[in-house]
Amino acid sequence: MSEFSKKLKTDLNPAQRLAVETIEGPVLVLAGAGSGKTRVIAYRIANLIFSEVCRPWEIMAVTFTNKAADEMRDRVHGLVGVEGHGVVLATFHRTCAQILRQWGFEIGVPQEFVVYDNTESKILVKRVMKYNKEDIDHYDPKAIYNLISRLKGELIDWRTCQELARDKWEELVGKTYEGYQISLEQSKALDFDDLIMKTVDLMEASPKILERLQNTYRYLLVDEYQDVNKAQYVFSKTL
């Protein structure tokens, strides 16, 4: 019996081992906090590699924070060793940024785009509102940025936002969203939400890129799946 086979029997309970050793079809792990879900993902990656079901670079594992990604990476490397470095293991945002750096030109995303963090994005929204002569004392730019972020999480672009506007507030949001997005494009920049939204756009607009991604990644593992928004779900489902 291999060392890893021994660890499967000693480190995992029967339900965890079932999730790890199931390699055909989708697997959904339902468990409470601190019960070993991340451990199951790490062991599942290791089992796929040791069982020679696929090669390390054919596995993509995504999570929500850099801290969680680092923890998962450490666990995988500890189990698999140097082969674990071939696994694509990162946050949704970093994974999508890498895809866009390589193929985003297909939908007009510049290869050398910069990424605005939340602070920079809020400043830009405020600047757009001032340019549009909106009352920023009455309409909070941070609240409008948060709403734009939620709209992007629902895969709603500024044109659709404007079409759906039903009152003055929603019209203001749509107008600000438009100016904000145009300003990002002029600066060759994307915000965090664009990274996922644009990747979904890319996969939908370019069947050849989608096919290439699907042929590259045979297994997709999502940590904290219950927290995905629509954009992250569509990215995962499409891939």
Side-chain angles (χ1 to χ4, degrees), residues 13-230:
N13 63 39
Q16 291 171 330
R17 199 158 60 246
L18 176 62
V20 166
E21 294 178 337
T22 301
I23 57 176
E24 294 294 333
V27 174
L28 178 65
V29 176
L30 297 172
S35 57
K37 295 188 295 296
T38 302
R39 181 193 310 158
V40 166
I41 291 178
Y43 271 79
R44 193 159 192 257
I45 292 171
N47 185 60
L48 290 170
I49 294 171
F50 284 133
S51 301
E52 298 184 348
V53 173
C54 64
R55 292 165 292 187
W57 52 89
E58 294 177 318
I59 302 170
M60 176 188 290
V62 290
T63 187
F64 285 87
T65 66
N66 289 324
K67 181 179 179 182
D70 289 342
E71 178 188 349
M72 196 187 303
R73 191 177 298 110
D74 289 343
R75 291 187 184 214
V76 171
H77 293 176
L79 289 169
V80 182
V82 68
E83 283 191 88
H85 293 268
V87 178
V88 176
L89 202 166
T91 63
F92 274 102
H93 297 98
R94 181 179 292 276
T95 300
C96 289
Q98 291 172 343
I99 292 172
L100 290 174
R101 296 271 184 214
Q102 193 164 4
W103 293 298
F105 65 88
E106 291 272 355
I107 56 169
V109 175
Q111 192 170 30
E112 298 303 319
F113 64 82
V114 297
V115 180
Y116 279 17
D117 63 22
N118 291 339
T119 299
E120 292 168 318
S121 297
K122 290 172 184 175
I123 291 172
L124 180 56
V125 166
K126 186 175 182 179
R127 188 181 305 143
V128 168
M129 292 179 68
K130 285 184 175 180
Y131 179 82
N132 290 341
K133 295 182 170 53
E134 304 291 354
D135 185 355
I136 62 173
D137 293 323
H138 185 68
Y139 299 108
D140 183 7
K142 292 181 181 178
I144 293 181
Y145 164 73
N146 290 335
L147 183 51
I148 291 172
S149 177
R150 289 200 297 273
L151 288 167
K152 289 186 177 185
E154 291 295 315
L155 298 176
I156 298 173
D157 60 21
W158 65 263
R159 292 179 179 84
T160 305
C161 177
Q162 291 181 354
E163 291 170 1
L164 296 174
R166 295 166 297 180
D167 53 35
K168 183 179 178 181
W169 163 251
E170 293 179 355
E171 289 174 359
L172 184 151
V173 172
K175 184 179 179 182
T176 304
Y177 188 175
E178 177 185 3
Y180 171 70
Q181 204 61 35
I182 290 173
S183 296
L184 285 173
E185 291 172 5
Q186 290 173 342
S187 300
K188 296 184 178 180
L190 303 179
D191 64 17
F192 283 148
D193 299 295
D194 281 331
L195 294 173
I196 301 173
M197 188 174 183
K198 294 285 188 183
T199 303
V200 171
D201 289 345
L202 171 65
M203 292 193 294
E204 291 179 346
S206 179
K208 66 177 182 179
I209 297 301
L210 175 58
E211 183 179 12
R212 187 165 182 174
L213 289 168
Q214 290 173 333
N215 289 337
T216 299
Y217 303 111
R218 295 180 54 203
Y219 285 86
L220 172 64
L221 297 93
V222 182
D223 191 25
E224 303 294 353
Y225 179 76
Q226 75 281 355
D227 291 332
V228 300
N229 61 20
K230 181 176 179 179

